[in-house]
Amino acid sequence: MAVDYAVIVLYLAGMLAMGWWGMRRAKSKSDFLVAGRRLGPVMYSGTMAAIVLGGASTIGGVGLGYQYGLSGAWMVFTIGLGLLALSVFFSARIARLKVYTVSEMLDLRYGGSAGIISGVVMWAYTLMLAVTSTIAYATIFDVLFGMDRTLSIVLGGAIVVAYSTLGGMWSITLTDMVQFVVKTIGVLLLLLPIAVIKAGGFAAMKAQLPDDYFAPLGIGGQTVFTYVLIYSFGMLIGQDIWQRVFTARGDKVARLGGTAAGTYCLAYALAGAVIGTAAKVLYPHLGSPDDAFATIVKDALPVGVRGLVLAAALSAVMSTSSGALIACATVANNDIWARVKSVAARRRPAAEEAADGGRAPGTEQAGDAAEEHDEVRGNRIFILLMGLAVIVIAIALNNVVEALTLAYNVLVGGLLVPILGGLLWKRGTAAGALASVAVGGLTVVGLMVSLGVLANEPIYYGLIASLVAYVVVSLATKPTDPEVLAAWRARLAGRPDGAADEDPEEEATGDTAVAVARVLTPSSVTGRA
């Protein structure tokens, strides 16, 4: 295993080096959080595919193939379908908003009153996504080095926290691109054909396994439908996914690059299912389906190649973990902590505000640069804090599947309707959005308590309740202020303030509050929480 160990160690060292190099490019808030909004199609599609295809898609996808055959591809397949839908129908509009978080989009659309609740929900979702990804290090490092679970989580988590804290989205983008290449070579080009050959080819696999292993819906139609609701819709609204859309340098990059990444996901889904099916032929009596990936890698691959494929599994986990971590920190800082500071700022004495306004001529540019530096430092601190919290929770948490299911159900049940409603229905109001988040989220949580976290019904009824609340309350309340809608339409059209002469600084920062404030009266702005 010495050669395999060397491959893994070099890979981990390369991730840290990428983080250090990315730190030199992260000079502004835009650089740090969304890679300066200037990724081209190749890098955008590669990093988008890397973040959506994590440890669950790789290790879990092979495990589903081991358990159900080719229909085990459906979980990852629905992730690809969701990414395709996001890219084709929504990504261009999302990219033009020039915001940093989903909650900022809700504030812009509904007039600044829906973001705080959605921010808390989104923060909880991204936190649990980062936690469950971090726990996966225990499985991989145990296979590699026979390492203790706690030490594995600390080691893997520390590496991700280190390069994410150093360079933010630039570091994560660079490492994700490397991870995408490693994952493609390791899983698609090496493990897939070797596994099929070791199993005797497709004809031998079909002869040795039940017919259900090759039925399109062998996993069950209801299970496929639930996957669509949770994973396909989750791709449409997750902060970790939207934050990658924000990195695209234009509408076409977001649409075409995302479409390419979604198509790649479909191929990756089928590959995982085929590998799992081959593992079932080779090792029919494994204790757990999730052991299929590690077992076939250890037994079927030659030295060196085995290390590369294990590095591919590590890549899958790291890409999702780092993407969820920066999303969690971005929401915590920009949607929650920033609102707390905003409330405190309004209470400052008038004299202090006057002193701030009396800045000497010639110091404005220096002050802006200092403020931009402070924002980068603040976001870097939040990534570090959230990363430490993720590691601690990952060590303490046992039931990973239930935690992730809870996070996805609350996310989709509470936020899908107000987000898509805001994009598609102009009659939707802030009251309707708040009611939708509250009713949908509470319905999901209540049914999970009574029926079980892994039951299918909570997400079904949660979405229905959320939709009914959104429509009924929106129709029963006063329509959204026309000026707020005008600012929203201007931002969707790529004009942040709705004026013919765009403010380049506002477009670069994506400050939603500034855009809304310019079209509202001063009294209405100062009266908003």
Side-chain angles (χ1 to χ4, degrees):
M1 293 287 290
V3 176
D4 298 323
Y5 291 162
V7 172
I8 298 297
V9 170
L10 287 174
Y11 168 77
L12 294 176
M15 295 301 98
L16 292 175
M18 288 288 184
W20 183 263
W21 190 79
M23 181 178 67
R24 302 174 62 183
R25 304 197 64 172
K27 303 298 184 182
S28 67
K29 179 181 178 181
S30 179
D31 287 335
F32 193 83
L33 294 182
V34 290
R37 305 188 195 274
R38 55 179 183 266
L39 295 191
V42 174
M43 187 165 284
Y44 176 85
S45 59
T47 57
M48 180 64 86
I51 187 176
V52 300
L53 296 173
S57 300
T58 304
I59 299 172
V62 172
L64 287 173
Y66 182 89
Q67 188 172 5
Y68 299 105
L70 297 186
S71 66
W74 273 108
M75 184 188 76
V76 183
F77 204 82
T78 55
I79 291 175
L81 292 178
L83 184 54
L84 284 172
L86 174 71
S87 301
V88 173
F89 299 111
F90 300 108
S91 62
R93 279 182 283 181
I94 292 171
R96 285 197 295 266
L97 290 175
K98 294 289 189 284
V99 295
Y100 291 106
T101 68
V102 174
S103 295
E104 284 185 61
M105 168 264 173
L106 291 173
D107 275 351
L108 179 64
R109 168 60 181 82
Y110 295 111
S113 58
I116 185 62
I117 296 179
S118 65
V120 172
V121 173
M122 191 65 74
W123 173 79
Y125 156 72
T126 53
L127 178 69
M128 293 313 301
L129 183 61
V131 166
T132 53
S133 300
T134 302
I135 291 174
Y137 297 128
T139 301
I140 297 174
F141 281 114
D142 178 56
V143 172
L144 291 174
F145 309 115
M147 194 177 291
D148 175 72
R149 177 183 184 273
T150 299
L151 185 59
S152 299
I153 291 173
V154 172
L155 176 60
I159 292 171
V160 170
V161 171
Y163 73 69
S164 300
T165 302
L166 286 172
M169 186 59 82
W170 266 122
S171 293
I172 293 171
T173 296
L174 295 170
T175 54
D176 277 1
M177 196 63 198
V178 174
Q179 289 159 0
F180 169 75
V181 173
V182 171
K183 198 156 41 180
T184 300
I185 295 173
V187 175
L188 294 183
L189 301 184
L190 294 177
L191 182 58
L192 174 61
I194 291 174
V196 173
I197 292 170
K198 290 281 186 180
F202 286 103
M205 291 163 58
K206 195 166 185 179
Q208 297 183 52
L209 295 173
D211 291 339
D212 287 349
Y213 267 71
F214 301 90
L217 295 177
I219 198 171
Q222 187 180 32
T223 300
V224 173
F225 182 63
T226 303
Y227 284 161
V228 171
L229 290 182
I230 294 178
Y231 296 113
S232 295
F233 287 162
M235 288 295 105
L236 297 180
I237 60 175
Q239 169 67 26
D240 51 328
I241 309 302
W242 276 43
Q243 198 157 344
R244 294 309 173 95
V245 176
F246 300 151
T247 65
R249 71 182 177 206
D251 298 358
K252 291 183 178 180
V253 170
R255 185 183 296 111
L256 297 179
T259 300
T263 304
Y264 178 90
C265 291
L266 303 183
Y268 199 88
L270 185 59
V274 171
I275 293 168
T277 304
K280 182 67 175 179
V281 173
L282 295 170
Y283 319 102
H285 304 298
L286 292 179
S288 169
D290 286 341
D291 293 336
F293 180 86
T295 302
I296 197 170
V297 168
K298 287 177 66 175
D299 294 349
L301 299 182
V303 173
V305 174
R306 180 172 49 205
L308 182 60
V309 174
L310 287 173
L314 197 57
S315 297
V317 176
M318 282 188 162
S319 58
T320 299
S321 181
S322 59
L325 176 59
I326 193 172
C328 177
T330 302
V331 171
N333 188 19
N334 292 270
D335 292 336
I336 299 176
W337 176 241
R339 294 171 192 273
V340 174
K341 290 196 300 182
S342 178
V343 171
R346 293 194 191 99
R347 297 176 179 174
R348 288 189 307 174
E352 185 178 337
E353 292 187 5
D356 289 342
R359 190 164 47 183
T363 63
E364 182 175 349
Q365 185 174 359
D368 290 342
E371 182 178 353
E372 191 74 21
H373 176 73
D374 287 344
E375 287 188 326
V376 172
R377 183 178 62 182
N379 281 290
R380 185 172 280 135
I381 291 172
F382 265 86
I383 290 181
L384 179 60
L385 293 176
M386 292 300 103
L388 294 175
V390 163
I391 292 173
V392 171
I393 296 172
I395 292 172
L397 195 63
N398 289 321
N399 200 323
V400 180
V401 175
E402 289 193 358
L404 187 60
T405 301
L406 173 64
Y408 262 104
N409 280 354
V410 173
L411 172 73
V412 175
L415 292 183
L416 178 69
V417 171
I419 290 173
L420 294 189
L423 289 169
L424 301 174
W425 190 41
K426 67 179 181 180
R427 185 59 180 83
T429 66
L434 291 172
S436 179
V437 174
V439 172
L442 290 175
T443 301
V444 165
V445 172
L447 288 176
M448 282 192 292
V449 170
S450 60
L451 301 177
V453 174
L454 300 180
N456 292 325
E457 290 80 5
I459 190 62
Y460 299 164
Y461 295 114
L463 278 174
I464 293 173
S466 180
L467 178 61
V468 171
Y470 182 70
V471 173
V472 171
V473 175
S474 291
L475 292 177
T477 53
K478 183 180 178 181
T480 304
D481 191 319
E483 291 184 326
V484 172
L485 287 178
W488 166 255
R489 288 192 293 268
R491 186 67 72 95
L492 284 177
R495 294 179 286 108
D497 58 1
D501 51 343
E502 299 173 7
D503 183 348
E505 178 64 22
E506 180 180 315
E507 182 174 0
T509 59
D511 189 345
T512 301
V514 174
V516 176
R518 289 187 175 182
V519 296
L520 296 178
T521 61
S523 59
S524 65
V525 172
T526 56
R528 185 184 305 125

